[in-house]
Amino acid sequence: MANKILVTGGTGYIGSHTVVELQLSGYEVIIIDDLSNSSSEVLKNIEKITGIKPGFEQFNLIDKDKTEDFFIRNEGIQAIIHFAASKAVGESVEKPLMYYRNNLVTLMNLLECQIKFSIPNIVFSSSCTVYGQPDVLPVTEQTPRKDAESPYGNTKRVNEDILRDTIFANHQLKGIALRYFNPIGAHPSALIGELPLGVPQNLVPFVTQTAAGLRKELNVFGDDYNTIDGSAVREYINVVDLAKAHVIAIERLLNGKNKLNYEIFNLGTGTGVSVLQIIKGFENATGIKLNYKIVARRAGDIEQIWADTVYANEELGWTAEKDWKKLYFRHGSGKNM
């Protein structure tokens, strides 16, 4: 019998790609998602890719009663991958209470159920935002975390602490926090990708929607940073590469290969890329000129960050296969991008 994995936020961008990779690796998957920033159509498209429709229940994990009822009715879950969260830096500055409620309470409810229903393993979707603006680049897993530049980043930092402390207090639990950088691209089938509801909060879906004429113009937040061209520098990782790392993390926990009950890994390519480089790269790859303008810096943004990925490469046996120039820009105007 296949191991059963719960994926929270599994109809979202990273979640849906991870569900595909889990199913292709032989796992049975059940999803919890409230569809606040995704669509149930994703379930049909996952089935088109894998031939298997994942289990699905729609509710918000903030509701503790519904969360407990789910675990009462669904026995045999061996591990959880927790994606469900609000995730936009800019929006978190405007709506901090929503972010603290959505991102902290959901994890606490899950962990309480893990203990109560004896589910030993969890992989947590963390973020490079826990590093704030680092003093030294690239960042390693030992780089000190600094005060977050946004409520979103702070929720990831606090959630890491909640996860660590809960695991230390409950030795039957094992967890891995994956600190990843900016996922972009889509599944090669173009059936799933990044299609946020409403106005995109991340760069690449705004680029693709501007190219497709869905947005009038693209804002570049600042051109006066101390970077190669004045725009902010980030690290971009293909979402399929990222999804595969989650499967490896699950296998590490299930097979008892973890060296500590709580482990942390950076997931990235090791290369920083500026916002303007992404725009120019898209234009060169597609032949489409983007209408963009330079505007003031955005609250919560950092100047630049990228990762040292040696530990994840060596310890997990995982490496990002695609650099930013080989990502799936050509699928940017597709239905599910």
Side-chain angles (χ1 to χ4, degrees):
M1 182 179 295
N3 285 311
K4 184 186 294 186
I5 311 298
L6 167 63
V7 180
T8 73
T11 60
Y13 178 41
I14 308 173
S16 60
H17 288 81
T18 301
V19 169
V20 165
E21 296 304 321
L22 285 167
Q23 289 185 330
L24 292 177
S25 297
Y27 291 98
E28 178 185 350
V29 178
I30 185 167
I31 294 170
I32 296 175
D33 202 306
D34 67 356
L35 301 181
S36 60
N37 196 32
S38 59
S39 168
S40 60
E41 287 294 311
V42 172
L43 299 169
K44 298 177 183 178
N45 290 331
I46 290 173
E47 185 177 10
K48 289 178 183 178
I49 296 169
T50 67
I52 304 168
K53 188 172 183 178
F56 173 73
E57 294 202 19
Q58 181 181 351
F59 67 92
N60 193 314
L61 291 160
I62 288 176
D63 190 323
K64 188 173 182 179
D65 290 338
K66 287 185 178 179
T67 303
E68 285 202 7
D69 178 67
F70 168 85
F71 285 102
I72 291 170
R73 292 182 290 101
N74 290 273
E75 297 180 349
I77 293 172
Q78 296 298 308
I80 298 170
I81 304 180
H82 182 43
F83 292 110
S86 300
K87 65 171 187 173
V89 169
E91 183 183 53
S92 77
V93 176
E94 299 171 357
K95 302 175 181 178
L97 291 178
M98 181 184 83
Y99 271 69
Y100 285 116
R101 182 179 300 109
N102 285 353
N103 294 3
L104 300 185
V105 175
T106 53
L107 178 63
M108 289 189 286
N109 284 347
L110 271 180
L111 289 171
E112 288 180 346
C113 285
Q114 272 195 264
I115 296 167
K116 183 173 182 177
F117 296 97
S118 300
I119 300 169
N121 305 301
I122 184 168
V123 174
F124 175 63
S125 168
S126 191
S127 166
C128 64
T129 55
V130 302
Y131 295 115
Q133 178 57 65
D135 296 322
V136 178
L137 291 167
V139 294
T140 72
E141 288 82 357
Q142 286 72 46
T143 296
R145 299 180 311 169
K146 299 179 70 175
D147 289 343
E149 298 290 329
S150 68
Y152 165 74
N154 201 36
T155 64
K156 291 299 185 182
R157 175 178 172 146
V158 173
N159 269 340
E160 282 191 359
D161 293 342
I162 291 170
L163 182 59
R164 178 200 63 204
D165 294 345
T166 303
I167 288 172
F168 286 175
N170 297 272
H171 299 298
Q172 74 274 25
L173 298 183
K174 298 182 294 181
I176 293 176
L178 298 177
R179 292 175 179 166
Y180 38 82
F181 292 67
N182 295 270
I184 60 176
H187 192 269
S189 67
L191 288 168
I192 54 174
E194 189 168 16
L195 183 63
L197 302 182
V199 179
Q201 298 288 326
N202 296 330
L203 174 62
V204 171
F206 218 116
V207 165
T208 57
Q209 290 190 20
T210 302
L214 300 177
R215 304 292 165 191
K216 181 180 178 182
E217 62 184 2
L218 169 67
N219 290 333
V220 175
F221 295 101
D223 65 349
D224 56 350
Y225 288 108
N226 183 28
T227 61
I228 187 171
D229 55 24
S231 64
V233 170
R234 299 291 183 269
E235 181 173 351
Y236 297 91
I237 179 172
N238 179 264
V239 68
V240 177
D241 286 341
L242 190 59
K244 290 177 179 178
H246 289 77
V247 179
I248 292 172
I250 284 292
E251 292 173 346
R252 181 178 178 86
L253 293 173
L254 291 177
N255 295 329
K257 293 182 179 180
N258 55 298
K259 293 182 177 178
L260 300 170
N261 277 7
Y262 176 61
E263 297 181 311
I264 297 168
F265 296 96
N266 284 337
L267 298 181
T269 63
T271 302
V273 185
S274 76
V275 172
L276 289 175
Q277 284 178 316
I278 286 288
I279 291 172
K280 298 303 182 184
F282 180 90
E283 290 179 335
N284 291 338
T286 63
I288 299 172
K289 296 296 291 183
L290 293 170
N291 182 27
Y292 70 90
K293 68 176 181 179
I294 308 297
V295 299
R297 295 184 184 188
R298 181 173 57 181
D301 280 348
I302 62 171
E303 180 174 273
Q304 54 187 329
I305 191 169
W306 62 90
D308 181 322
T309 64
V310 170
Y311 184 58
N313 298 156
E314 294 181 350
E315 189 64 28
L316 294 179
W318 169 90
T319 302
E321 297 178 1
K322 299 178 179 65
D323 64 29
W324 72 276
K325 293 180 181 179
K326 296 178 182 178
L327 297 169
Y328 291 97
F329 286 128
R330 67 181 180 273
H331 294 146
S333 58
K335 177 181 177 183
N336 289 295
M337 283 295 293

